[in-house]
Amino acid sequence: MRRGGIVVFAALACASPAAARPPEALACALQAAPQGLDTRVADVIVSHDFAQGRAVLDDLRVVTDRCAADQFLNARQRDAYFSYVLGRMGRDVIDARLAAAGVSSALIDRTLDIGPGNANNPADKVTQGDLRMVADAMAHAGKDPKAITPDGWALIAAWIVATANMFDGLRDID
């Protein structure tokens, strides 16, 4: 399953093929989203139950479509923008949850070569071995992977999925 603020948007824009799209354009849906949508999006990603989360995804689609229309994005670009925002919203919330669980999102990014400035393989290139690689990296960093709860591992998997969605969307938006 491989896969903030304006400064992060600028870094993401510069580190991706979507560098031609201004950070403000990428931020549109994040800024226009109703309060709490980001948390609901993260909950859907963590649950892996996208059918149950359909109402949340529909709410997200409304917000992203409004911004996409303002930016004159075609249908393919709208889908890519939706994927980007889905992943970005998820990452923002899941990052805080990982920190609360004592897990470094930066360690996950470095280990799997994902996140800003990294390779970010497309989501279809993700393997089951990713969690094992993260566990090995945690052990090497002095954190016992056995101390991570099942909920913590679900957050790690969700982080990987959200990252893949975000960077797949960035790659495909332009």
Side-chain angles (χ1 to χ4, degrees), residues 83-101:
S83 183
Y84 166 77
V85 174
L86 173 71
R88 176 60 201 271
M89 277 189 180
R91 273 178 58 100
D92 287 351
V93 173
I94 294 166
D95 188 38
R97 292 178 184 177
L98 283 168

Side-chain angles (χ1 to χ4, degrees), residues 2 8 25 31 35 37 44 46-47 49 51 53 60-61 72 82-83 95 98 108 111 113 125 133 141-142 144 147 160:
R2 190 182 312 208
V8 173
Q31 294 170 345
Q35 186 172 4
L37 182 59
V44 170
V46 172
S47 76
D49 191 347
L60 180 62
R61 178 63 77 172
F72 303 104
F82 175 85
S83 183
D95 188 38
L98 283 168
I108 300 166
T111 301
D113 201 19
K125 300 290 186 204
M133 290 171 51
D144 182 2
I160 297 166

Side-chain angles (χ1 to χ4, degrees), residues 27-134:
C28 175
L30 298 164
Q31 294 170 345
Q35 186 172 4
L37 182 59
D38 56 347
T39 301
R40 293 171 41 222
V41 165
D43 291 344
V44 170
I45 296 170
V46 172
S47 76
H48 300 290
D49 191 347
F50 292 91
Q52 184 73 16
R54 176 58 40 209
V56 173
L57 299 177
D58 289 346
D59 290 347
L60 180 62
R61 178 63 77 172
V62 168
V63 173
T64 59
D65 279 353
R66 252 188 252 134
C67 288
D70 289 346
Q71 297 173 45
F72 303 104
L73 300 181
N74 63 36
R76 182 192 57 78
Q77 291 170 317
R78 282 176 188 240
D79 287 342
Y81 186 60
F82 175 85
S83 183
Y84 166 77
V85 174
L86 173 71
R88 176 60 201 271
M89 277 189 180
R91 273 178 58 100
D92 287 351
V93 173
I94 294 166
D95 188 38
R97 292 178 184 177
L98 283 168
V103 177
S104 166
S105 60
L107 178 124
I108 300 166
D109 286 355
R110 278 191 311 275
T111 301
L112 301 177
D113 201 19
I114 61 174
N118 293 320
N120 294 298
N121 293 329
D124 63 357
K125 300 290 186 204
V126 176
T127 69
Q128 285 298 97
D130 292 339
L131 292 178
R132 188 173 322 113
M133 290 171 51
V134 170

Side-chain angles (χ1 to χ4, degrees), residues 139-158:
H140 187 262
K143 178 148 184 91
D144 182 2
K146 293 177 185 170
I148 304 298
T149 66
D151 288 342
W153 284 107
L155 289 172
I156 292 167

